[in-house]
């Protein structure tokens, strides 16, 4: 029984309500024992004694089969639940993502914990790192994972990757990587953090939950009890995190509506930002299929899971033709996301890029601490000048698209605004804190907005470096596509010099500056969460038709 009401009983009062030492059922892995001891310690803080009882589950015993080949659901939880029903234990502690969405009759979740970071970690052998590649992993690398959800999402980003099944507890999985059974493995950050594993001999890429969408309730512990044990339920409210319960309820409802288990290629992540709930969902039919992704925001969780499920309905109508102001290859993420649903993609840039300088002053570069890139064009034109930077110089990018372009030139960013999940002004504010008192070089377009520059502190030296300029094409032809996607303010300006929007055509703008230019023409538009091809694909999939 979850509740938002705070418990007013004091620790001594709670202790009196429990007249025995509670028995906590748990699996025997190091991570499971950490989780059970965490709950035991929370109970001790309110004066309730408990001890652990280790129980083996089907998932622990059967190690030679892939998870999706095991029969039924709950193969990490069934034996614990049976022991609970039989009275052998008073409560069971589970990794919440392992629990089926339908509880056995007579059992309930009485409390959930604070959420550990639900990000994924891609743990890579250092000799398998390629900084020029997306995810910093060499071509055709073999990744160890038993998760169809992870396979589907990684393949969408890197179709060249190969996969091999990875089973065992967290420590044994990491050891298998050390033994060179794989080039990389993928694990939940929460488990690594809790067990405190030393990964210093590997290269570790952290993939935030808005990039690789986690399993529903990933990073949360569930405390399960008998439904009729109302007194214990009351006691456990003092360790229940109602805010976490609120968000993961959306994720778990989505899981239930899809009738999926923890081995399904389904990811769902909900969080509350200010007064809004934001939800990301990824779903594929099989691990080798390209997943559909959806981003939704709402002021309430009421009906949110149902809205998500309706967007993934098989009979749902999608646009047939999309126009985007960018040249795209058939191998690009966005093109493949559209091709899955036979959506025609018409890609053509409406502007031309011209370099402004052909040489950099080596004296200026010598003292640069940071180089901040706000666009892929800025990166490309800057490195064409063959800059000779100090080894101490660090790089910052506005988002995933810029990060991918920067890696193509052999550099990884120390700061990425996309990982903050906030708007341009807030990204600028966060970077300003980090760069305070340093020298920041900003390669940019001539006459571009100076949001970053205006946010930097007074003691920060700014070097504005226009490296390219844009020119608008004249006589841009109109598109009859169902959806018009604009990737820069200049492209908006170029298109609407002579063209109008037809009734029924929908507009997507890649970022806020592009959106503001659209507002000058009095037009409404959809703004994707992230200003890259993944965000654009999410936005198209989320449109109503």
């Amino acid at each position: 029984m979850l509740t938002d009401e705070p418990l007013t009983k004091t620790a001594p009062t709670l202790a009196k309500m429990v007249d025995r030492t509670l028995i906590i059922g748990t699996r025997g892995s190091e991570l499971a024992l950490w989780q059970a001891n965490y709950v035991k310690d929370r109970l001790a803080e309110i004066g309730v004694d408990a001890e652990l009882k280790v129980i083996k589950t089907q998932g622990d015993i059967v190690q030679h089969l892939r998870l999706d080949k095991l029969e039924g659901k709950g193969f990490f939880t069934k034996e614990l639940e049976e022991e609970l029903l039989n009275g052998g234990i008073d409560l069971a502690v589970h990794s919440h993502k392992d629990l089926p969405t339908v509880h056995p009759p007579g059992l309930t979740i009485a409390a959930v914990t604070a959420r550990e970071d639900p990000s994924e970690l891609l743990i890579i052998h250092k000799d398998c790192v390629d900084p020029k590649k997306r995810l910093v992993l060499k071509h055709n690398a073999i990744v160890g994972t038993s998760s169809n959800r992870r396979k589907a999402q990684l393949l969408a980003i890197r179709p060249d990757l190969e996969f091999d099944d990875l089973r065992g507890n967290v420590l044994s999985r990491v050891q298998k990587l050390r033994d060179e059974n794989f080039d990389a493995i993928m694990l939940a950050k929460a488990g690594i953090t809790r067990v405190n594993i030393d990964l210093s001999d590997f290269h570790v890429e952290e993939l935030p939950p808005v990039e690789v969408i986690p399993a529903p309730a990933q990073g949360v512990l569930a405390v399960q009890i008998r439904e009729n044990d109302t007194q214990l339920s009351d006691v456990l409210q003092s360790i229940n995190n109602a805010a976490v319960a609120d968000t993961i309820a959306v994720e778990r409802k989505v899981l239930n509506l899809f009738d999926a288990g923890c081995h399904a290629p389904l990811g769902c992540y909900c969080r509350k930002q200010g007064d809004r709930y934001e939800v990301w969902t990824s779903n594929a039919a099989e691990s080798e299929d390209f997943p559909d992704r959806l981003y939704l925001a709402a002021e309430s969780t009421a009906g949110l899971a149902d809205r998500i499920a309706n967007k993934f309905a098989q009979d749902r109508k999608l646009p047939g033709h999309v126009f985007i102001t960018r040249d795209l290859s058939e191998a690009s993420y966005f093109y493949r996301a559209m091709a899955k649903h036979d959506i025609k993609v018409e890609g053509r840039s409406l502007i031309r890029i011209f370099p402004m300088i052909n040489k950099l002053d080596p004296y200026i570069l010598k003292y640069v601490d940071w180089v901040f890139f706000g666009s892929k064009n800025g990166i490309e034109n800057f490195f064409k000048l063959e800059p000779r930077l100090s080894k101490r110089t660090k790089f910052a990018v506005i988002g995933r698209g810029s990060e991918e372009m920067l890696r193509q030139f052999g550099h990884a960013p120390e700061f990425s605004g996309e990982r903050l999940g906030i708007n341009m002004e807030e990204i600028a504010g966060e970077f300003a804190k980090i760069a305070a008192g340093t020298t920041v070089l900003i390669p940019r377009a001539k006459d571009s907005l100076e949001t970053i520059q205006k946010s930097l502190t007074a003691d920060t030296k700014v070097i504005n470096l226009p490296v390219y300029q844009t020119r608008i094409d004249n006589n841009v032809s109109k598109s009859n596509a169902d959806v018009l996607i604009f990737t820069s303010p200049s492209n908006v300006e170029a298109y609407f010099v002579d063209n109008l929007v037809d009734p029924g055509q929908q507009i997507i703008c890649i970022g806020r500056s592009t959106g503001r230019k659209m507002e000058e023409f009095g037009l409404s538009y959809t703004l994707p969460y992230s200003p890259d091809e993944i965000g654009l694909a999410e936005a198209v999939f989320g449109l109503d038709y």
Side-chain angles (χ1 to χ4, degrees), residues 489-505:
S490 299
N491 276 295
V492 174
E493 189 174 353
Y495 188 85
F496 289 106
V497 167
D498 298 313
N499 301 307
L500 298 174
V501 176
D502 290 336
Q505 281 186 316

Side-chain angles (χ1 to χ4, degrees), residues 58 65-76 97-101 145-152 165 167 215-216 252 255 258-267 282-288:
Q58 181 190 14
L65 293 177
R66 281 172 38 183
L67 293 179
D68 56 354
K69 300 303 180 184
L70 292 173
E71 292 185 6
K73 301 174 184 178
F75 35 79
F76 287 122
K97 69 176 183 178
D98 292 338
L99 283 172
T101 56
T145 178
S146 54
S147 165
N148 289 328
R149 170 186 57 82
R150 289 169 177 154
K151 290 177 189 176
D165 196 47
R167 294 288 312 279
R252 300 269 298 166
L255 186 67
F258 280 73
D259 192 26
C262 63
H263 58 270
L266 172 72
S282 171
N283 189 49
E286 301 289 342
S287 62
E288 293 79 14

Side-chain angles (χ1 to χ4, degrees), residues 129-150:
V129 170
D130 185 347
K132 294 184 179 181
K133 295 284 189 181
R134 184 81 179 266
L135 305 178
V136 202
L137 191 55
K138 73 175 186 179
H139 189 73
N140 286 341
I142 299 173
V143 180
T145 178
S146 54
S147 165
N148 289 328
R149 170 186 57 82
R150 289 169 177 154

Side-chain angles (χ1 to χ4, degrees), residues 311-325:
K311 291 286 187 181
F312 284 89
Q314 289 186 352
D315 59 351
R316 180 181 166 233
K317 184 179 179 181
L318 290 167
H321 182 187
V322 170
F323 167 78
I324 181 170
T325 61

Side-chain angles (χ1 to χ4, degrees), residues 339-354:
K340 175 182 177 179
H341 296 283
D342 297 321
I343 299 173
K344 177 184 175 183
V345 178
E346 176 189 354
R348 52 187 166 97
S349 178
L350 310 182
I351 60 174
R352 295 292 176 264
I353 306 295
F354 298 92

